[in-house]
Amino acid sequence: MVRLRVVDEDGRSSAQRGQDLHRARDRDEARANLAAVLTPLREAQRGIEAAIAKGHKPAPSEQMWTLLDRAYEALDTYLADLLNEAAIDPACGPRCSACCTDLPPILPIEALRMARSLRRQDQGQARLQRAVEQARAFRQVLLAHTGPQPKLDGTEPGYREAQLAWRRLGHPCPVLGDDGSCSAYEARPLSCRAHVHIEDPAHCEPDSPRFLIAERPPVWGHPRECEVELALAAISKLLELPQAPNLQWGLAGFI
């Protein structure tokens, strides 16, 4: 019988790992790394506001995309530093796609950024069409759990039940490549970047007995970090982008 790995090797509890992460993000270096994420996002926001003030229709510019690229590169640096400082070793490795049957939340500007990345690929349009098909299929699952007027809110019990039911169907993410790698990795959203699993990847599967209780360290969610989400939401609102509850739904809106 294969023994699935349960994280206990370093003697820390999940609460202790959470405390270590809290100390890690309170360092001056971590604060500076987070500021490096926020600075280009706020510059992008100001650029859009300036264009609107001049009477231009709100639209993404090449400068905005460059600033967003810079922000997400800084975000990766910030998260990697937290994990390193808190001595947290993710179990996720190259081409690990154990969690890629989920419906990760996404902000509108992130969905547009992913769609833009996919359109530049040979198989991109097919992946966008797959997102449309999955969004339609998930809507049916959602209706079965919530009724005719579902709330597209990941905190709603009905939505969470539908999300779990969807995961049990095992549909791979529409942007997942045949080799298990993400075809839009550089453009993946914040929720994917901050999803860290430190137990055996098999526990990411819904049929694992530890699926609901396996440890996922809280590498995101501090009020300072939430400023990043607020900045991305502000950019989305300025560009008048449609809201979406998850990655599949978000991509479907930009096909």
Side-chain angles (χ1 to χ4, degrees), residues 118-137:
L118 289 170
R119 289 195 192 99
R120 297 179 171 184
Q121 303 174 20
D122 292 341
Q123 300 298 318
Q125 192 61 33
R127 297 190 189 284
L128 287 170
Q129 184 58 45
R130 190 185 304 170
V132 172
E133 294 164 0
Q134 288 193 8
R136 289 172 178 165

Side-chain angles (χ1 to χ4, degrees), residues 98-240:
C99 69
C100 296
T101 55
D102 207 346
L103 297 151
I106 197 168
L107 288 154
I109 186 61
E110 294 184 307
L112 180 59
R113 186 168 179 260
M114 285 197 80
R116 177 175 178 264
S117 174
L118 289 170
R119 289 195 192 99
R120 297 179 171 184
Q121 303 174 20
D122 292 341
Q123 300 298 318
Q125 192 61 33
R127 297 190 189 284
L128 287 170
Q129 184 58 45
R130 190 185 304 170
V132 172
E133 294 164 0
Q134 288 193 8
R136 289 172 178 165
F138 174 65
R139 180 176 176 80
Q140 295 306 310
V141 175
L142 186 61
L143 290 173
H145 285 80
T146 61
Q149 294 183 324
K151 291 184 178 180
L152 304 180
D153 183 345
T155 64
E156 285 289 323
Y159 183 96
R160 293 293 298 162
E161 290 171 8
Q163 186 177 31
L164 183 56
W166 176 264
R167 286 217 63 188
R168 290 192 171 115
L169 294 174
H171 295 300
C173 175
V175 301
L176 190 66
D178 294 337
D179 63 352
S181 61
C182 177
S183 64
Y185 188 76
E186 295 303 323
R188 70 197 189 283
L190 168 60
S191 59
C192 292
R193 293 169 189 264
H195 182 90
V196 174
H197 199 283
I198 60 174
E199 297 192 16
D200 193 300
H203 295 313
C204 284
E205 303 291 349
D207 58 356
S208 167
R210 288 187 58 80
F211 174 67
L212 295 177
I213 60 173
E215 187 176 347
R216 299 170 180 85
V219 298
W220 193 260
H222 188 277
R224 287 195 300 273
E225 294 162 348
C226 291
E227 291 183 38
V228 173
E229 295 176 63
L230 291 174
L232 289 167
I235 291 171
S236 302
K237 186 175 181 180
L238 286 168
L239 294 175
E240 301 175 355

Side-chain angles (χ1 to χ4, degrees), residues 36-59:
V37 182
L38 285 165
T39 297
L41 291 179
R42 288 171 174 159
E43 185 177 344
Q45 181 179 344
R46 288 192 298 270
I48 299 169
E49 289 170 340
I52 293 173
K54 293 178 181 178
H56 299 304
K57 182 179 179 180

Side-chain angles (χ1 to χ4, degrees), residues 12 17 20-21 24-25 27 76-92 193-198 216-220:
R12 290 183 293 175
R17 289 190 185 88
D20 289 340
L21 279 167
R25 61 169 50 96
R27 294 173 301 125
D76 288 343
T77 298
Y78 173 74
L79 293 172
D81 174 69
L82 289 189
L83 293 173
N84 180 68
E85 187 66 22
I88 292 175
D89 183 21
C92 322
R193 293 169 189 264
H195 182 90
V196 174
H197 199 283
I198 60 174
R216 299 170 180 85
V219 298
W220 193 260

